[in-house]
C-alpha cells in the first residue's frame, strides 16, 4: 500500500523557496513519527504555505490553500461517501497534503480514504508513531518564515544588481548575461520576428539552447505579462520600448527544477533594464547581434561549429545547403559605420539575399552572404560595393572566396582582410567591377600590406641604404636611374631614354651603382632583389 518512505535527516528547504511536502516530511520532528507516503508520491513537490491542525469534519472552510493538514483521524466520517466529501473539500481548497496519525483511532489508513486520496491526487501520509503536532507547526512555520525572509533578501539583491547595471549604462549583452548568472538558467532575448538576438546559456550549449529556435519560439504564444507557457514550459516576459512591445525574453527551464518567484523577478527586472538600455544605446540591437555573430565567426570565438550554426540560424541566416562569402568594407579615415551599415541592410533585404552585416572594428564593416549554390556572388558584391561607394567614396571593398561550410567562414574573412589591407587609399578600381579580390594583389600591393613589418623595412635599407645616402650627400639621382633601369627590365637604351640621359652617362651611372651596392646588375637574381627593394621603398614613401 505504501508508495514511498520519505528520506529523513534534512532540517531545511533550499534557501529562498517555500518548503515542499517532501521537505517537511524529512524534518526530524516529523521523521520521528515514521511517515509513510500512501498516495500522491508525484505531488510531494507541492509547496507548503502553512500547517493546520484539525479535528473537524469540515476543515476546508478554515483553509486558503497550500496547507499541510495534520489530524489524528478522529473526525473522519465512518461512511465512504463522507470520506470522499472530506477529501474533495480538501482538494478543492488546494491543501498541500493530508497527514494522519495511526495511533488513536486507526492503525492502518481506511481503504475509503486511500481510494479517495488516490482518485483526487492528494498526498496521503501516515504516521506510525505519536508526534507532537504543536511542535511540528512551530518548526515548519519557522522554516516557512525563514524561507520568506530569504526570498525577500534575494529579491532585494536582484533589484540592487539590476539598478547598478542601469546606473552604469550597461548594454543589452551585460544585462542578459547578469540574468543568466543570477537565475542559473539560459536566457534569450528575441525580436518580434522570433530571431534570437542574444543568448546566454547556463548549463547548456548555444546549440542546445537555439536549435530550431524560430519554430520553438512561435509555438510559445507571446503574452502581455511574465508567465510560463508553450510546449517546453518557457518563462517569458515582454520587452517594450516607448510604450510598444518590440521583443521578448525567454528563460528556458531546467529539468526537474520548476520556476520560482525569484526567476520571475529576475526576468521582469531584466525586461525593465533592457528598456532603459535601449534608450541609452541607440544602435539597433539587430545590428549588434549581427556584429557579435560576425566577430565570433571571423575570429573563430565560438565554442563549436554547431554553436555557430545554431546562433546564425536563430538570426535568420540559412546555414545548410548553400555557400558563404565574406565581404569587408574599409570606410576610410574618420568614417563611421552607422549609415553605411543601415544602407547595406536595406540593399541586402531589397535583393533578397540572407546575410549578416556588422561593424567588426572602427571603420570596418563585415558582411557574410549566404547564397544558393547556383547563385553568383559577384552581382551581389557589386551591388553592395556601389551602395557603399555612394555614401563613402574613399571606401575600399574586398571580397574573400566562397566556402561551403559556415565553420569555414573565418577563411573567407581572412582572405577579404588580406585584400583590403593590400589596397592603398585611392587604388584604382578594376575595369570590370567596383570591388577588389585576391587575384588583384600584385607585388606592390603585397608589399603595401606588409609595409609595417620591420623585416621589409630592414631588407629595403640593406639593399638600397648606401645608394640613398650617396644621393643625399652628393645631390645625385642614382636611385632614380636605378628605377628606370629596373623598370625597363635591364634594357639600358630604354632606361636612358626614360631618364633623358645619353647611353654613356647611363653606363657610367650603372657602374657607380654597382660599386656602391657591391652587386652585379647583369644578374637577373640581383636585379629582382633590387626591384623588390625599390618597390618596397616606393610603397613606404607613399609613391
Amino acid at each position: 500500500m505504501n508508495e514511498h518512505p520519505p528520506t529523513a535527516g534534512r532540517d531545511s528547504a533550499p534557501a529562498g523557496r517555500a518548503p515542499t511536502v517532501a521537505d517537511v516530511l524529512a524534518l526530524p520532528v516529523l521523521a520521528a513519527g515514521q511517515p509513510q507516503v500512501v498516495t500522491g508520491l508525484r505531488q510531494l513537490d507541492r509547496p507548503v504555505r502553512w500547517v493546520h491542525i484539525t479535528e473537524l469534519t469540515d476543515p476546508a472552510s478554515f483553509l486558503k490553500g497550500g496547507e499541510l493538514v495534520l489530524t489524528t483521524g478522529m473526525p473522519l466520517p465512518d461512511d465512504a461517501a463522507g470520506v470522499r466529501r472530506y477529501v474533495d473539500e480538501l482538494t478543492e481548497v488546494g491543501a498541500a497534503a493530508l497527514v494522519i496519525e495511526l495511533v488513536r483511532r486507526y492503525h492502518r489508513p481506511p481503504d475509503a480514504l486511500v481510494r479517495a486520496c488516490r482518485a483526487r491526487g492528494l498526498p496521503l501520509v501516515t504516521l506510525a508513531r505519536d508526534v507532537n503536532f504543536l511542535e511540528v507547526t512551530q518548526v515548519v512555520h519557522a522554516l516557512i518564515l525563514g524561507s520568506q525572509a530569504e526570498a525577500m533578501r534575494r529579491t532585494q539583491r536582484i533589484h540592487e544588481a539590476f539598478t547598478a547595471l542601469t546606473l552604469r549604462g550597461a548594454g543589452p549583452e551585460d544585462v542578459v548575461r547578469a540574468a543568466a548568472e543570477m537565475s542559473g538558467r539560459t536566457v534569450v532575448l528575441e525580436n518580434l520576428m522570433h530571431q534570437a538576438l542574444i543568448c546566454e546559456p547556463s548549463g547548456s550549449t548555444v546549440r542546445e539552447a537555439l536549435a530550431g529556435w524560430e519554430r520553438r519560439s512561435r509555438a510559445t504564444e507571446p503574452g502581455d505579462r511574465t508567465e510560463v507557457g508553450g510546449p517546453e514550459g518557457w518563462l517569458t516576459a515582454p520587452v517594450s520600448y516607448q510604450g510598444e512591445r518590440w521583443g521578448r525574453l525567454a528563460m528556458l527551464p531546467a529539468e526537474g527544477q520548476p520556476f520560482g518567484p525569484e526567476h520571475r523577478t529576475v526576468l521582469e527586472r531584466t525586461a525593465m533594464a533592457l528598456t532603459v538600455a535601449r534608450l541609452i544605446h541607440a544602435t539597433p540591437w539587430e545590428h549588434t547581434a549581427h556584429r557579435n555573430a560576425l566577430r565570433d565567426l571571423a575570429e573563430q570565438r565560438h565554442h563549436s561549429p554547431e554553436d555557430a550554426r545554431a546562433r546564425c540560424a536563430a538570426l535568420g541566416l540559412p546555414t545548410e545547403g548553400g555557400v558563404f562569402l565574406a565581404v569587408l568594407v574599409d570606410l576610410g579615415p574618420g568614417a563611421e559605420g552607422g549609415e553605411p551599415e543601415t544602407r547595406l541592410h536595406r540593399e541586402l533585404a531589397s535583393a533578397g539575399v540572407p546575410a549578416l552585416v556588422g561593424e567588426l572594428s572602427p571603420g570596418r564593416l563585415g558582411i557574410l552572404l549566404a547564397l544558393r549554390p547556383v547563385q553568383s556572388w559577384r552581382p551581389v558584391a557589386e551591388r553592395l560595393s556601389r551602395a557603399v561607394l555612394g555614401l563613402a567614396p574613399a571606401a575600399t571593398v574586398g571580397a574573400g572566396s566562397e566556402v561551403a561550410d559556415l565553420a569555414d567562414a573565418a577563411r573567407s574573412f581572412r582572405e577579404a582582410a588580406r585584400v583590403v589591407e593590400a589596397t592603398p587609399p585611392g587604388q584604382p578600381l578594376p575595369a570590370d567591377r567596383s570591388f577588389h579580390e585576391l587575384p588583384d594583389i600584385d607585388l606592390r600591393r603585397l608589399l603595401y600590406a606588409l609595409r609595417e613589418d620591420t623585416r621589409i623595412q630592414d631588407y629595403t635599407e640593406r639593399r638600397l641604404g648606401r645608394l640613398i645616402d650617396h644621393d643625399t650627400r652628393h645631390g645625385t639621382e642614382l636611385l632614380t636611374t636605378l628605377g628606370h633601369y629596373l623598370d625597363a627590365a635591364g634594357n639600358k637604351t630604354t632606361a636612358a631614354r626614360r631618364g633623358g640621359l645619353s647611353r654613356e652617362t647611363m653606363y657610367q651611372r650603372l657602374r657607380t651603382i654597382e660599386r656602391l651596392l657591391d652587386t652585379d646588375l647583369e644578374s637577373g637574381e640581383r636585379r629582382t632583389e633590387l626591384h623588390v627593394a625599390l618597390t618596397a621603398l616606393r610603397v613606404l614613401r607613399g609613391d
Side-chain angles (χ1 to χ4, degrees):
M1 181 180 298
N2 293 336
E3 293 189 358
H4 177 70
T7 302
R10 289 181 294 173
D11 58 4
S12 66
R17 72 159 173 82
T20 64
V21 174
D23 295 326
V24 172
L25 295 180
L27 294 171
V29 66
L30 264 177
Q34 299 177 359
Q36 296 290 324
V37 178
V38 181
T39 68
L41 177 62
R42 295 184 179 180
Q43 282 75 43
L44 295 185
D45 59 351
R46 292 179 176 180
V48 175
R49 190 186 64 82
W50 209 243
V51 177
H52 184 73
I53 305 171
T54 183
E55 299 299 342
L56 301 175
T57 58
D58 59 342
S61 59
F62 296 91
L63 306 179
K64 293 184 178 180
E67 292 88 358
L68 184 77
V69 178
L70 302 179
T71 180
T72 62
M74 298 299 291
L76 284 178
D78 294 322
D79 60 304
V83 170
R84 286 196 301 272
R85 185 172 59 254
Y86 182 90
V87 172
D88 287 344
E89 291 177 357
L90 290 179
T91 304
E92 288 167 6
V93 81
L98 174 63
V99 179
I100 181 171
E101 193 179 65
L102 302 180
V103 176
R104 292 167 177 82
R105 181 178 179 185
Y106 299 106
H107 297 288
R108 61 185 299 274
D111 293 340
L113 180 63
V114 174
R115 288 194 298 270
C117 289
R118 181 171 291 125
R120 296 304 302 268
L122 178 68
L124 173 62
V125 181
T126 62
L127 299 176
R129 301 183 64 180
D130 189 25
V131 169
N132 187 326
F133 283 175
L134 180 59
E135 185 180 356
V136 172
T137 61
Q138 291 175 334
V139 172
V140 176
H141 290 170
L143 181 61
I144 292 171
L145 292 173
S147 69
Q148 291 174 347
E150 175 60 23
M152 292 178 63
R153 287 191 291 269
R154 286 171 62 91
T155 299
Q156 182 63 27
R157 288 195 292 268
I158 291 169
H159 285 301
E160 290 173 352
F162 279 104
T163 299
L165 286 170
T166 300
L167 290 176
R168 69 177 176 86
E173 296 91 347
D174 294 330
V175 173
V176 176
R177 185 179 305 114
E181 291 173 352
M182 278 187 269
S183 65
R185 304 291 177 89
T186 295
V187 180
V188 180
L189 172 66
E190 66 172 12
N191 61 13
L192 294 179
M193 298 296 294
H194 300 275
Q195 295 175 340
L197 305 183
I198 302 174
C199 173
E200 283 295 334
S202 178
S204 64
T205 64
V206 171
R207 178 185 63 81
E208 292 169 339
L210 297 183
W213 179 261
E214 182 177 350
R215 170 185 53 78
R216 294 160 59 205
S217 176
R218 290 185 182 277
T220 303
E221 291 292 330
D224 296 326
R225 57 189 176 85
T226 304
E227 59 187 359
V228 176
E232 296 181 39
W234 291 358
L235 179 64
T236 61
V239 182
S240 300
Y241 177 64
Q242 295 182 341
E244 293 186 5
R245 187 173 65 191
W246 69 266
R248 179 170 67 167
L249 281 165
M251 184 179 288
L252 307 190
E255 186 175 355
Q257 301 178 35
F259 292 115
E262 71 276 7
H263 295 108
R264 294 176 180 271
T265 301
V266 167
L267 211 60
E268 289 169 353
R269 283 308 308 263
T270 303
M272 293 172 59
L274 288 173
T275 298
V276 176
R278 195 170 176 95
L279 291 169
I280 298 172
H281 302 275
T283 302
W285 288 358
E286 286 80 2
H287 293 192
T288 303
H290 281 213
R291 177 199 67 195
N292 292 339
L294 283 171
R295 288 180 178 178
D296 286 351
L297 285 171
E299 300 171 20
Q300 293 184 302
R301 296 190 305 196
H302 42 265
H303 293 292
S304 68
E306 292 77 18
D307 277 7
R309 293 189 191 97
R311 186 176 184 186
C312 291
L315 286 171
L317 188 79
T319 58
E320 303 291 343
V323 294
F324 306 91
L325 181 122
V327 178
L328 291 185
V329 178
D330 267 10
L331 296 171
E336 296 182 357
E339 188 176 356
E341 183 177 351
T342 301
R343 176 70 178 273
L344 289 175
H345 274 285
R346 288 201 212 101
E347 286 290 333
L348 288 163
S350 176
V353 177
L356 300 179
V357 181
E359 190 174 48
L360 297 182
S361 59
R364 174 173 289 186
L365 297 179
I367 304 106
L368 181 67
L369 303 174
L371 305 166
R372 298 184 301 275
V374 296
Q375 185 178 8
S376 174
W377 63 268
R378 292 181 180 278
V380 179
E382 182 68 20
R383 181 170 180 172
L384 292 176
S385 181
R386 291 192 179 280
V388 170
L389 293 174
L391 292 172
T396 299
V397 181
S401 59
E402 294 175 310
V403 295
D405 192 324
L406 186 66
D408 296 328
R411 174 164 59 84
S412 189
F413 274 109
R414 286 195 299 269
E415 293 172 354
R418 289 179 195 148
V419 172
V420 296
E421 289 164 4
T423 304
Q427 175 75 27
L429 290 169
D432 59 339
R433 49 192 154 84
S434 59
F435 61 90
H436 304 269
E437 52 184 318
L438 276 174
D440 298 332
I441 300 179
D442 54 16
L443 175 62
R444 179 181 294 272
R445 292 175 66 171
L446 175 63
L447 292 171
Y448 176 79
L450 300 174
R451 65 192 181 280
E452 296 182 1
D453 192 318
T454 56
R455 291 171 295 183
I456 296 295
Q457 299 170 11
D458 178 67
Y459 177 83
T460 302
E461 182 63 24
R462 284 190 289 106
R463 287 290 182 269
L464 300 176
R466 282 177 289 178
L467 196 61
I468 297 171
D469 290 342
H470 185 277
D471 280 349
T472 300
R473 288 195 304 269
H474 301 285
T476 55
E477 296 182 351
L478 296 179
L479 186 66
T480 301
T481 300
L482 177 62
H484 290 317
Y485 175 72
L486 295 175
D487 289 341
N491 187 307
K492 298 182 180 66
T493 301
T494 301
R497 185 171 63 251
R498 290 179 177 176
L501 303 174
S502 66
R503 288 173 59 86
E504 183 176 345
T505 301
M506 172 60 69
Y507 291 159
Q508 181 182 359
R509 288 190 178 186
L510 291 177
R511 286 195 294 273
T512 302
I513 291 171
E514 286 182 320
R515 176 175 57 79
L516 288 171
L517 299 182
D518 190 23
T519 191
D520 178 11
L521 293 178
E522 295 298 321
S523 166
E525 182 178 351
R526 297 293 176 266
R527 284 204 304 271
T528 299
E529 291 173 354
L530 291 173
H531 201 180
V532 171
L534 184 60
T535 303
L537 180 64
R538 290 168 174 169
V539 167
L540 292 169
R541 287 180 170 180
D543 295 341

